[in-house]
Amino acid sequence: MTATILDGNALARKLRADFKTRAETLAARGTRPGLAVLLVGEDPASQVYVRNKVNACAQAGFHSEKITYPPDVEPAIVLARIAELNADPRIHGILVQLPLPGHFDSDALLKAIAPEKDVDGFHAENVGALMQGHPRFIPCTPYGVMKFFAEAGIDLKGKEAVILGRSNIVGKPMAMLLMQASATVTICHSQTRDLACHTRRADILVAALGKARFVTADMVRPGAVVIDVGINRLPDGKLCGDVDFAAVSEVASAITPVPGGVGPMTITMLLANTLEAAEREAG
Ligand code: NDP
């Protein structure tokens, strides 16, 4: 079997064209969607992510503000700026690029963002709303993964879904969304015994563990849909996912590539969340 490639770039282009139209409609009524991105420090990967987010906003016709701080900035200064952004009517979404330097309490900072502007969906209030099944914001990466299923017409009802990774930003919200779509969900992590025995049962396998080409063909049930969230840099500088793409695409029925799969969809769903926040605010 050769798997269908789930093309994140193509799906992102399609969704972003729709967002641009919706943003224009909203702007004509006096509201331009606005996103503020705060970056502390000089981590090269974070700088690239922030640049991509700001560029994506510009292309979709959104207002955006990039606010940068040196790595040794006092947390109180960043908190004060978040308070200003919470009250700024031009800003509908606020995002703090993670990870933060060690002297920051990340939880305290994320809690300082007004829940109705928390476009990453990391505020405890929004996590709770997602858990209760009426989300205000869905965290961008799992939101993007759900769009792949919808676009490809993959019915999740009754399916065995196995997730590798239990982080707050990917694994846990992914599990919640798949469960709400009536899949039967298993979450695996670093302490899971006999991981392959779980992965081989999966109709839907989501790899989000951050280990290059960890998922091999013998771990995948023939015909499974494989979503590769991982982004890993190889010694030669190239990017690869958590899945051995070449071998697994001979076994799976559908698979996301890295790059060009989940990555572009994550930024796309950040635009979606910002737009939805602006639309809500504009009534
Ligand atoms: P974290 O490091 O926060 O979590 C990794 C998870 O994987 C943990 O739950 C960990 O288990 C689990 N894990 C680690 N090793 C194993 C193993 N050998 N077997 C089973 N489980 C294991 O990572 P994130 O969730 O933040 O990110 C995961 C990957 O996704 C990374 O490569 C990241 O770069 C990428 N990513 C990609 C995005 C995109 O847009 N494409 C967005 C966000 C992340 P335990 O809890 O026991 O430690």
Side-chain angles (χ1 to χ4, degrees):
M1 180 181 299
T2 302
T4 302
I5 308 294
L6 302 172
D7 183 343
N9 285 321
L11 182 53
R13 265 195 305 277
K14 180 174 148 183
L15 293 174
R16 288 183 199 198
D18 170 53
F19 299 162
K20 193 164 184 219
T21 310
R22 279 164 59 189
E24 282 163 5
T25 307
L26 208 55
R29 289 169 46 206
T31 303
R32 190 167 174 224
L35 175 71
V37 185
L38 290 90
L39 171 64
V40 182
E42 284 142 14
D43 175 59
S46 292
Q47 285 176 333
V48 172
Y49 292 141
V50 167
R51 193 168 56 234
N52 290 344
K53 287 168 186 174
V54 169
N55 288 344
C57 279
Q59 283 158 16
F62 293 15
H63 166 69
S64 71
E65 290 179 26
K66 177 176 143 190
I67 301 153
T68 56
Y69 296 99
D72 57 354
V73 65
E74 281 296 321
I77 293 177
V78 182
L79 283 166
R81 189 62 200 268
I82 290 175
E84 283 170 15
L85 293 166
N86 283 342
D88 185 340
R90 291 169 310 157
I91 297 298
H92 305 95
I94 303 170
L95 177 156
V96 176
Q97 185 65 43
L98 300 176
L100 288 162
H103 65 292
F104 272 83
D105 175 349
S106 300
D107 285 344
L109 213 71
L110 295 177
K111 262 191 219 147
I113 298 173
E116 57 278 7
K117 296 192 178 187
D118 166 42
V119 281
D120 260 339
F122 296 162
H123 191 291
E125 187 178 312
N126 289 324
V127 174
L130 174 66
M131 182 120 182
Q132 288 180 334
H134 46 78
R136 182 196 271 133
F137 293 112
I138 300 173
C140 302
T141 302
Y143 195 3
V145 172
M146 295 306 282
K147 290 285 177 191
F148 277 116
F149 299 136
E151 177 74 6
I154 295 165
D155 183 13
L156 298 166
K157 206 153 116 196
K159 296 279 167 65
E160 290 287 338
V162 175
I163 301 165
L164 305 184
R166 57 175 165 181
S167 73
N168 288 336
I169 64 169
V170 186
K172 284 183 200 163
M174 189 76 254
M176 211 50 65
L177 293 170
L178 286 165
M179 189 175 68
Q180 282 161 13
S182 295
T184 302
V185 180
T186 303
I187 308 178
C188 300
H189 46 76
S190 66
Q191 306 306 309
T192 299
R193 273 182 288 153
D194 198 356
L195 197 78
C197 125
H198 295 284
T199 61
R200 282 193 206 110
R201 282 190 300 103
D203 300 308
I204 309 286
L205 180 61
V206 181
L209 66 161
K211 299 243 179 305
R213 295 175 182 153
F214 181 92
V215 176
T216 47
D218 60 313
M219 294 168 74
V220 176
R221 202 178 70 77
V225 174
V226 178
I227 304 289
D228 191 353
V229 177
I231 301 177
N232 308 287
R233 199 163 285 282
L234 295 168
D236 65 5
K238 288 192 179 141
L239 291 182
C240 80
D242 289 348
V243 175
D244 179 355
F245 180 82
V248 171
S249 50
E250 294 300 319
V251 180
S253 63
I255 187 167
T256 58
V258 177
V262 175
M265 287 303 293
T266 294
I267 296 190
T268 301
M269 301 327 287
L270 174 65
L271 296 177
N273 280 344
T274 305
L275 179 61
E276 285 166 19
E279 286 173 339
R280 268 198 294 271
E281 215 236 23

